Amino acid sequence: MTPAERVPLAPLTSFGVGGAARFFAEARSVEELAELADFARAHALPLRLLASGTNILVPDAGVEALVVRVVMDAVAFEEGSEGRTLVVAEAGARWDALVDAAAARGLWGLENLAGIPGSAGGALVQNIGAYGAEFARVFAYADVVDLASGEERRVLPAEAALGYRTSRFKSRRDLAIVRVAMSLAAEGVPDLAYADLARAKEAGVSLATPVEVARAVRAIRAEKFPATGCAGSFFQNPIVRAEKLAELRARYPELPAYPVGGGAKIPLAWLLDHALHLKGYAEGPVRLFERQPLVVVASEGARAADVEALAREIEARVADAFGIALTREVETFA
Ligand code: NAP
């Protein structure tokens, strides 16, 4: 298989900005992945894995690498232990289709993660989370190809080191995820702890089954998040120590906060909106989304440099105003 040269990556990402890959190929099997790793070595180029491109920013100069998209997407349901069901999905399987397939079987565990763009592999890399659910809660194992040796092996939860919107795979670029397995339950109760879902219930929406919860989550998301020109939340919600929370609460008594470990998670959207009044703030063709300022939106004609400039400005303003160093959720693909 010969990779194509100078392939524009913008159409392969949800941001829709950025330059070309020096080489690009799709991998349809573990053997093809190993072949592509050989190709990259022979050309003395790094191999960079691209999933659905829903959490990355491609620089305008492009990427001097062999970019490989894993497109295997088969999904199987297997009997797990203790009456649970294992959903085994190849890395390129579309996440939201998986959520639907599991919910249609009456399986609990993925329903609050409905409507998230991206693939099964990406869900693991990012440890996606929404409405109180997190991929880590259902993760059973992943099969990966070690690109250095071409060998396939199994990664268990301890090695995957899933954390708040992160995993070991963010730093281990030599491991290509080919398959992920999730353990789901036939019995469950809806997790409606987040205010949006509690409100839906109060408004009379039936939320008794995984299908109904998934449908409600999709409807809420469709109201709050743009469909194109973004990569979801651009920044992580900061986790701060008790002293910082007290300092912020003295200035903003209404500031929401949620306990995490020894500290508290603060909704950055609240600070951007209520403290800095930056909802909808725009710099040229890039803006913070009006309905959710954690989301950076690139309009027609925007470049990666425009996104980067706005992101840096937000980082600087938050550092100045609150002494908080933001962590990006979106990765620069380089
Ligand atoms: P929201 O419900 O308005 O909540 C704002 C923030 O407060 C969230 O980020 C959430 O943290 C936190 N929060 C709210 N209720 C909480 C609770 N009961 N316990 C603990 N933490 C709580 O958030 P939103 O912006 O509309 O997003 C809804 C959900 O979808 C959130 O879970 C969000 O993370 C997720 N989402 C993720 C992305 C992405 O690209 N990563 C994009 C859109 C939405 P958490 O973020 O930890 O949940």
Side-chain angles (χ1 to χ4, degrees), residues 254-266:
E254 311 282 295
L255 175 68
Y258 302 93
V260 180
K265 181 177 61 186
I266 296 176

Side-chain angles (χ1 to χ4, degrees), residues 40-52:
R41 263 190 299 277
H43 288 76
L45 284 171
L47 186 157
R48 292 297 324 268
L49 294 153
L50 175 72
S52 311

Side-chain angles (χ1 to χ4, degrees), residues 185-198:
E187 307 273 313
V189 285
D191 178 352
L192 309 178
Y194 271 45
D196 284 341
L197 280 169

